[in-house]
Amino acid sequence: MGIPDAITPPALHKGETIAFVSPSSRLNTLFSRRIEAATSLFLDRGFKVKIIYNETLPSDHLSAIQLRCSELHTAFRDPEIKAIVCTIGGLSANELLPHLDYDLIRKNPKIFCGYSDITILHHALFTQSGLKTFYGPAVIPEFGEMEGPTKFTVDNFFGMVMNKAERRSI
């Protein structure tokens, strides 16, 4: 089986919903202020935010992997969500690969953004579902900066995921 036909997700528009997911490291509670700062950043720019995160992972390893995978599936399944931004990288995104529903992802293309350990998910989403993804900033380290993200980060993120007319108003 070859790589599926490439799918470019629709552009993001003001008023739409962005999901924060944590498919690798689970640092939302530890860095809750950064999650709040990133949420405020997106809300201030006219977007809605859904945080898809279960604070308590099951104690057995396979169930914990399946829960992280389920959170990602929830974001792709939700028709209200138009973009998914990972909270941070980590060390364990590779554990999700055999459990991902690539057909679900192919049928519900969305902007997907993250870096570091998330790189393996970019590769898998493209090769297994055809989804073109965005190697870019994450919630905690960039958007959650307490002084705010750099203008460069904000301008380039929105420039990448929005249509030209709307980018000028951000």
Side-chain angles (χ1 to χ4, degrees):
M1 178 170 126
I3 295 175
D5 290 339
I7 302 166
T8 301
L12 184 64
H13 302 280
K14 280 188 173 185
E16 292 182 328
T17 303
I18 299 168
F20 294 171
V21 297
S22 303
S24 192
S25 287
R26 309 293 287 186
L27 301 175
N28 290 33
T29 303
L30 182 63
F31 291 104
S32 61
R33 282 193 192 168
R34 285 180 176 252
I35 298 290
E36 290 168 13
T39 299
S40 292
L41 171 90
F42 286 103
L43 292 174
D44 290 347
R45 283 169 173 71
F47 298 95
K48 298 173 194 161
V49 173
K50 278 190 181 180
I51 300 170
I52 302 173
Y53 182 79
N54 293 287
E55 283 191 41
T56 307
L57 285 175
S59 58
D60 78 280
H61 191 65
L62 181 57
S63 294
I65 292 168
Q66 291 171 332
L67 177 66
R68 291 176 15 236
C69 196
S70 172
E71 291 172 349
L72 191 55
H73 288 156
T74 296
F76 275 102
R77 190 178 294 111
D78 187 333
E80 188 178 309
I81 293 170
K82 303 302 179 187
I84 301 166
V85 180
C86 296
T87 57
I88 199 162
L91 300 171
S92 57
N94 62 310
E95 296 173 335
L96 276 60
L97 301 183
H99 307 283
L100 288 174
D101 183 343
Y102 296 105
D103 191 48
L104 168 74
I105 294 163
R106 183 177 19 264
K107 290 177 180 174
N108 298 280
K110 300 177 191 271
I111 293 164
F112 179 84
C113 186
Y115 71 97
S116 188
D117 182 50
I118 303 304
T119 304
I120 193 77
L121 295 179
H122 290 291
H123 178 74
L125 294 179
F126 181 70
T127 61
Q128 302 305 304
S129 71
L131 181 64
K132 293 180 184 178
T133 60
F134 299 88
Y135 189 88
V139 173
I140 293 169
E142 282 80 34
F143 294 122
E145 283 287 331
M146 295 316 294
E147 303 79 33
T150 66
K151 181 178 180 336
F152 177 86
T153 297
V154 172
D155 289 350
N156 284 286
F157 174 79
F158 287 114
M160 177 175 64
V161 300
M162 295 181 73
N163 70 38
K164 289 181 185 179
E166 286 185 302
R167 288 192 300 233
R168 283 191 283 271
S169 65
I170 292 292

